[in-house]
Amino acid sequence: MIDNAKWYVVHTYSGYENKVKTNLEKIIENRGLEELILDVKVPLEEVIEKKDDVEKVVTRKVFPGYVLIKMIMTDDTWYVIRNTTGVTGFVGPGSKPVPLTDEEVEALGVDTKEIVINFANGDSVKIVKGPFADQIGIIENIDFSTGKIDVSVVMFGRKTVLELEADQLEAL
């Protein structure tokens, strides 16, 4: 059922983003909606502000006036969120909320996907996708935080290291 959950954007009164997040978290807990409303986020970023030649790192909202909610859209969840104090409505045409696309969610960086890599340094692999498909190479390095894998291949008689994704490779 969690696979049906999508990210939606809710518009709030300016400055009410954290209050809306807190209110929603209380309502979710009180009404037992944890299965339907999975996450509530107010995206933040750290920026350097310079005032009178003094640099200071401050945290600010990435999207002032908006809260992101990962949920399964039902009449109940729509009603609960729509009637939360500080919420002015869902983002979308008319009264119909439109979920964010996977590409938008990835670009916003709000939903982290677990990267599973079943390779190790020194493994021989075959490249199965992309412009270097059918090349054979050896894994030089794996960056588990980004999912990038450095594979050395021999091209034109020289060793060349390619940065690839795990789904582009197949174990030999």
Side-chain angles (χ1 to χ4, degrees):
M1 186 129 174
I2 290 173
D3 291 344
N4 300 339
K6 299 276 185 201
W7 282 96
Y8 293 86
V9 180
V10 174
H11 192 263
T12 68
Y13 292 121
S14 184
Y16 274 69
E17 303 88 355
N18 292 331
K19 185 79 173 141
V20 166
K21 181 181 189 302
T22 305
N23 287 345
L24 278 171
E25 287 168 347
K26 285 180 188 166
I27 292 167
I28 291 164
E29 187 179 337
N30 292 341
R31 296 193 183 191
L33 296 172
E34 294 91 347
E35 299 281 317
L36 296 173
I37 303 173
L38 307 173
D39 201 356
V40 181
K41 290 195 179 195
V42 177
L44 302 171
E45 66 181 348
E46 286 189 350
V47 293
I48 297 172
E49 284 186 356
K50 193 171 185 180
K51 186 177 181 184
D52 300 329
D53 288 334
V54 177
E55 288 187 354
K56 188 169 123 183
V57 177
V58 295
T59 303
R60 71 173 185 200
K61 295 174 183 85
V62 178
F63 308 110
Y66 296 94
V67 174
L68 304 174
I69 302 173
K70 185 173 187 174
M71 62 184 236
I72 298 168
M73 183 59 73
T74 66
D75 289 342
D76 287 341
T77 56
W78 179 87
Y79 181 83
V80 164
I81 290 166
R82 185 74 186 82
N83 291 293
T84 299
T85 305
V87 172
T88 60
F90 280 92
V91 172
S95 62
K96 185 174 181 352
V98 176
L100 294 172
T101 64
D102 292 341
E103 291 78 20
E104 290 168 330
V105 170
E106 194 172 314
L108 292 172
V110 292
D111 213 2
T112 53
K113 292 181 181 167
E114 189 174 314
I115 300 170
V116 178
I117 298 176
N118 295 319
F119 299 109
N121 288 343
D123 284 358
S124 293
V125 292
K126 178 179 180 181
I127 302 171
V128 293
K129 284 185 187 173
F132 302 101
D134 297 327
Q135 289 268 7
I136 305 294
I138 296 173
I139 294 179
E140 298 274 323
N141 185 42
I142 301 172
D143 185 341
F144 288 95
S145 63
T146 63
K148 302 282 187 201
I149 301 173
D150 293 337
V151 178
S152 68
V153 295
V154 176
M155 290 192 320
F156 309 115
R158 294 179 62 187
K159 177 179 153 185
T160 304
V161 178
L162 307 172
E163 187 180 74
L164 303 168
E165 302 279 341
D167 68 345
Q168 292 179 275
L169 302 173
E170 186 178 273
L172 289 179

